[in-house]
Amino acid sequence: MGIIQTKALDLYYGSTQALKKINLDVEKNAVTALIGPSGCGKSTFLRTLNRMNDLIDSVKIEGEVLFEGKNIYKDYDEIDLRKRVGMVFQKANPFPMSIYDNIVYGPKIHGVKDKSKLDELVESSLKGAVLWDEVKDRLNKSALGLSGGQQQRLCIARTLAVEPEVLLMDEPTSALDPISTLKIEELMDELKKKYTIIIVTHNMQQAGRISDYTAFFLNGEIVENGKTESIFYKPQDKRTEDYITGRFG
């Protein structure tokens, strides 16, 4: 049984159905890549896993999403759920405050007041995001002064600071240069020892390099999912093969 399971998950924006009967088990301590053409439901699905879609008025959700065996819509409040299932967005979005304050923002909301505990979290989170050595002498400087790749790693560190179990990443490298992209890919490989990672990516090479499992989305449905190796080299469905070899999408 995966750490996250979805069962017959349907999602509607008003009368438009964006997700259709999604059944997926997400394995613990692994990287699962969600691939597929633009507008096929990948990001919508990702946002369902920590109830970000709740923020949209016209959304209606049917079916089940289970996190550690419990229904996220019935057995968790969204604040607690989002602490345990963190999210990193496509565009780095550091807060306009110091690097230090960016990291302690979440822990403070969740009641951590002790300065030495906060200092510890800042160091461990930045080390977890492989950023500590680059910023340790400028923690009180604005986070907006960092490069794009550093800002994205800061956002990962900020997510780690609330000590989640799952990291959702929505195309976290699409706005980055190749060197920053490589750093974040190496980081994911390290992070999966402690966390479960689900990543939306348009980049087939990236999905092939970093993920253990892959789910291929098309028109709001999962066409095929399984171990990345099988999906890439022995796909069962012609549509998967066509997408991976670049015939469409």
Side-chain angles (χ1 to χ4, degrees), residues 31 33 207-215 224-236 240 244:
V31 177
R209 280 194 300 267
I210 62 167
S211 68
D212 304 288
Y213 298 91
T214 296
E224 193 170 345
N225 73 87
K227 289 200 162 165
T228 296
E229 223 168 89
S230 309
I231 298 289
F232 273 72
Y233 298 109
K234 295 194 284 280
Q236 304 297 302
T240 313
I244 283 169

Side-chain angles (χ1 to χ4, degrees), residues 126-137:
L126 286 167
K127 281 181 172 166
V130 197
L131 192 56
W132 174 250
D133 289 338
E134 293 165 54
V135 302
K136 63 178 186 231
D137 300 324

Side-chain angles (χ1 to χ4, degrees), residues 3-207:
I3 184 169
I4 289 179
Q5 292 175 296
T6 65
K7 298 181 176 184
L9 178 67
D10 289 327
L11 182 140
Y12 299 84
Y13 291 120
S15 58
T16 308
Q17 188 166 5
L19 295 175
K20 301 165 194 162
K21 297 280 174 280
I22 304 286
N23 295 299
L24 187 65
D25 272 21
V26 176
E27 296 300 326
K28 196 173 179 171
N29 295 109
V31 177
T32 299
L34 311 180
I35 64 170
S38 291
C40 66
K42 311 180 293 291
S43 293
T44 296
F45 175 72
L46 193 73
R47 288 196 299 267
T48 303
L49 303 180
N50 72 343
R51 294 183 52 178
M52 289 293 275
N53 288 322
D54 290 19
L55 306 169
I56 303 165
D57 286 345
S58 61
V59 162
K60 185 174 82 167
I61 292 169
E62 293 167 353
E64 286 187 310
V65 181
L66 305 178
F67 173 50
E68 296 187 327
K70 291 181 181 169
N71 188 315
I72 68 167
Y73 288 93
K74 292 179 182 156
D75 303 323
Y76 289 96
D77 74 49
E78 59 268 40
I79 306 295
D80 181 43
L81 179 72
R82 287 182 198 139
K83 178 180 187 298
R84 297 175 68 186
V85 182
M87 185 142 193
V88 176
F89 296 91
Q90 180 172 355
K91 193 172 178 324
N93 57 344
F95 303 138
M97 49 177 77
S98 72
I99 293 167
Y100 184 94
D101 287 336
N102 262 273
I103 305 286
V104 299
Y105 186 85
K108 280 180 165 175
I109 285 178
H110 292 290
V112 180
K113 299 277 186 279
D114 181 334
K115 176 82 167 75
S116 60
K117 171 74 174 149
L118 291 170
D119 289 350
E120 220 171 90
L121 276 171
V122 168
E123 184 170 343
S124 64
S125 305
L126 286 167
K127 281 181 172 166
V130 197
L131 192 56
W132 174 250
D133 289 338
E134 293 165 54
V135 302
K136 63 178 186 231
D137 300 324
R138 50 198 275 213
L139 294 177
N140 295 318
K141 297 261 171 38
S142 169
L144 302 179
L146 297 173
S147 72
Q150 288 174 323
Q151 286 189 9
Q152 191 59 299
R153 279 183 287 144
L154 176 68
C155 293
I156 293 171
R158 192 174 67 195
T159 306
L160 299 182
V162 296
E163 303 177 318
E165 288 150 67
V166 177
L167 286 176
L168 308 177
M169 296 185 156
D170 195 356
E171 294 196 56
T173 63
S174 67
L176 302 180
D177 62 86
I179 290 168
S180 301
T181 295
L182 188 65
K183 279 189 174 165
I184 286 181
E185 289 182 4
E186 287 169 353
L187 174 57
M188 281 186 236
D189 204 44
E190 200 49 44
L191 289 174
K192 74 179 181 190
K193 295 172 187 167
K194 279 181 73 176
Y195 309 94
T196 300
I197 298 173
I198 307 169
I199 176 172
V200 167
T201 179
H202 266 112
N203 181 328
M204 289 303 99
Q205 289 78 17
Q206 181 173 72

